[in-house]
Amino acid sequence: MKVIDTHVHLFMEDSIPEAYLQGIAKTVSHVLKNKHKSDISPEDVRRNIIKNGWDQDGKKYLAQMNEAGIEKAGI
């Protein structure tokens, strides 16, 4: 059976507006505090979570696809 991921986003540094990144960091910080009792600041979210999501050339996602047996993806 072929596995196709029909909805993929690649996050590239400098391709997302600063205000949007700030909003994401605040939202993730808020959710982690409320749902998981974590005390992570928006700045820590940016340094430790968002930064790790950058995938400039798609190599990270291709490795995940291969590991999961995904043959195709739609960006």
Side-chain angles (χ1 to χ4, degrees), residues 16-57:
I16 300 172
E18 180 62 28
Y20 186 76
L21 289 173
Q22 289 176 4
I24 289 173
K26 287 178 184 176
T27 300
V28 170
S29 172
H30 180 76
V31 169
L32 291 174
K33 284 179 183 178
N34 289 327
K35 299 234 180 212
H36 301 286
K37 309 300 182 219
S38 171
D39 191 25
I40 185 169
S41 70
E43 294 78 20
D44 286 337
V45 169
R46 289 205 54 182
R47 264 192 308 275
N48 300 311
I49 297 174
I50 294 174
K51 184 179 177 181
N52 290 328
W54 298 137
D55 193 2
Q56 295 297 115
D57 55 11

Side-chain angles (χ1 to χ4, degrees), residues 11 14 55 59 75:
F11 294 100
D14 299 327
D55 193 2
K59 287 181 181 177
I75 296 177

